[in-house]
Amino acid sequence: MTAQSPARWTDPEQQELEERVAAAELAWLSMDVDVQTLRVEIDNFALIHHQLLGPLYARLDELDALVAEAVAARTGHPDDLRRAAEARQQVEELPDLDALFDSVDAVRAERSERAERSERGESGEGADQAVPPPPAAPTRVRPGKEAQRIYRELVRRAHPDLTTDPAEQQRRADFLVRVNEAYAYGDAAVLEGLAAEWSTAPEAAPAVDSPDRLGWLRRRLDWLTGKITETATEQVRLEQTPMGQLLALAPQDPDRLLEQLAEELLAKAAAQQAELERLLGAPEPAHGPTPVGDNGTDPDRAQEGHTMFAQIPTTDAASVPADAALLDVREQDEWDAGHVDGALHIPIGEVIARIGELPEQKLYVLCRVGGRSAQVVQYLVQQGRDAVNVDGGMYAWEGAGRPMVSSTGQDAFVL
């Protein structure tokens, strides 16, 4: 250090505030990116959930109504007639989900249009240029790794609240509209272009050696503390929404979860279809519809109801006895990741060929979420075996705190 370059004195309080503000900004931006990412994934999950599973839910509701109506037609019992009317009313009163998601698409199209106008520098009033159509609906819940990386970097660099200049905040907000739209569709190429386009503007915060800097740092730290609390609250709210809770069942692979849910719904629909065909194909009793007593009851109803409502036997994971005979019908990699110690492992495609290996006692059948196991239980019941489907599969087993082991000796998990 020479006489021409004396050591610069720094206010210790200001130095501490500089560090605290920088740390708070980093913490808040990381949280905010996570929340925005979660919001995109929940929106995409809800949209794809509707597109993939909506018709299956509608088919199940219709089959439930048809089965109830077939039972009511055969028995004439007041309770069956009431249940049939309620089931049919539920089908007729379902919300117009197509219209709902059409409105979502319309909002996304409008946002795309605004982003295009902003990119061309138009006000949006009386613009004559044709606006390109919005991108196709996302095909995956979670955008790819490259899109995630670019998105996080762009948000951290261009967040509006990194500046206090109103004009710069607006510029950044308009830019992030385009960034969020591209990320929602997982378009890494567009995000790359936006990253190349972005350039930062000078900050409006007071200079480090300004006498106003210390007061600004105090206000900034208070503001950041409030934003961290607000962002954490929003994250909790998103996680507790119905779609957020469903997404949490498979945080590492939400697209696989949709496939498993589809399997489960298909199995339930197949069981209901078989029950409907049995009811419609069975001959009427020789004495006609079952007579109803003076008090509206039928002394023979318990036995008849058991026959007519031949459903897949089901239980929850917490109720499975500790010494129960378990059959796991998942694939080898799923079994290796985590399974119940002592369970018999036969993949679903091998059950018919290996049915002789099954014990004669009551079997509790497991898969990942309950879809494949429901199909196996349906088959075993048809063969006269005593079998029960564990609802929710290994996910429910893990959620109930039941023990699991892995084939590798590492911590067990549901794959």
Side-chain angles (χ1 to χ4, degrees), residues 100-152:
L100 172 63
F101 281 88
D102 284 346
S103 69
V104 173
D105 291 338
V107 169
R108 286 188 166 181
E110 181 182 352
R111 286 162 61 188
S112 293
E113 183 177 347
R114 284 202 308 268
E116 291 290 337
R117 285 203 300 264
S118 173
E119 187 176 5
R120 295 194 300 266
E122 299 174 2
S123 66
E125 298 294 333
D128 294 329
Q129 286 116 310
V131 176
T139 58
R140 292 185 59 81
V141 173
R142 179 170 296 154
K145 296 289 186 183
E146 184 64 9
Q148 293 180 48
R149 182 190 66 78
I150 302 170
Y151 174 74
R152 288 176 175 271

Side-chain angles (χ1 to χ4, degrees), residues 9 72 81 92 135 137 151 173 181 198 209 224 242-243 250 258 286 321 405:
W9 179 83
L81 293 170
E92 293 172 352
Y151 174 74
E181 190 71 24
W198 177 249
D209 56 357
L224 284 167
M243 283 298 164
L258 287 172
V405 297

Side-chain angles (χ1 to χ4, degrees), residues 20-248:
R20 292 177 64 188
V21 166
E25 282 186 344
L26 179 62
W28 167 59
L29 282 173
S30 297
M31 289 178 63
D32 192 67
V33 169
D34 289 341
V35 168
Q36 297 303 328
T37 300
L38 177 62
R39 182 177 287 111
V40 165
E41 291 188 5
I42 287 177
D43 287 346
N44 285 356
F45 190 86
L47 182 60
I48 299 173
H49 181 274
H50 164 69
Q51 293 171 336
L52 178 65
L53 305 183
L56 291 175
Y57 283 120
R59 177 59 177 160
L60 269 175
D61 287 334
E62 177 65 23
L63 283 169
D64 287 343
L66 290 172
V67 167
E69 288 166 349
V71 171
R74 290 176 58 80
T75 68
H77 195 281
D79 286 345
D80 290 335
L81 293 170
R82 175 182 53 79
R83 277 190 283 265
E86 290 173 352
R88 178 54 59 189
Q89 184 177 14
Q90 181 175 340
V91 172
E92 293 172 352
E93 291 183 354
L94 283 175
D96 188 351
L97 294 178
D98 288 326
L100 172 63
F101 281 88
D102 284 346
S103 69
V104 173
D105 291 338
V107 169
R108 286 188 166 181
E110 181 182 352
R111 286 162 61 188
S112 293
E113 183 177 347
R114 284 202 308 268
E116 291 290 337
R117 285 203 300 264
S118 173
E119 187 176 5
R120 295 194 300 266
E122 299 174 2
S123 66
E125 298 294 333
D128 294 329
Q129 286 116 310
V131 176
T139 58
R140 292 185 59 81
V141 173
R142 179 170 296 154
K145 296 289 186 183
E146 184 64 9
Q148 293 180 48
R149 182 190 66 78
I150 302 170
Y151 174 74
R152 288 176 175 271
E153 180 64 24
L154 273 173
V155 173
R156 289 191 175 103
R157 289 167 52 195
H159 201 288
D161 288 324
L162 287 176
T163 179
T164 56
D165 180 5
E168 176 65 5
Q169 284 182 333
Q170 185 60 51
R171 181 177 83 90
R172 288 168 176 254
D174 291 342
F175 179 76
L176 284 186
V177 168
R178 297 160 58 199
V179 172
N180 289 333
E181 190 71 24
Y183 183 68
Y185 292 99
D187 198 330
V190 173
L191 288 169
E192 285 277 16
L194 290 168
E197 174 188 329
W198 177 249
S199 62
T200 58
E203 296 296 334
V208 174
D209 56 357
S210 168
D212 298 328
R213 180 75 176 182
L214 194 60
W216 179 85
L217 285 170
R218 293 191 185 103
R219 294 190 300 273
R220 183 69 172 170
L221 186 59
D222 288 342
W223 181 87
L224 284 167
T225 302
K227 292 297 288 186
I228 288 173
T229 301
E230 178 184 315
T231 305
T233 301
E234 176 63 8
Q235 180 173 349
V236 171
R237 186 194 69 80
L238 288 171
E239 290 173 346
Q240 291 181 347
T241 61
M243 283 298 164
Q245 292 178 0
L246 196 56
L247 190 61

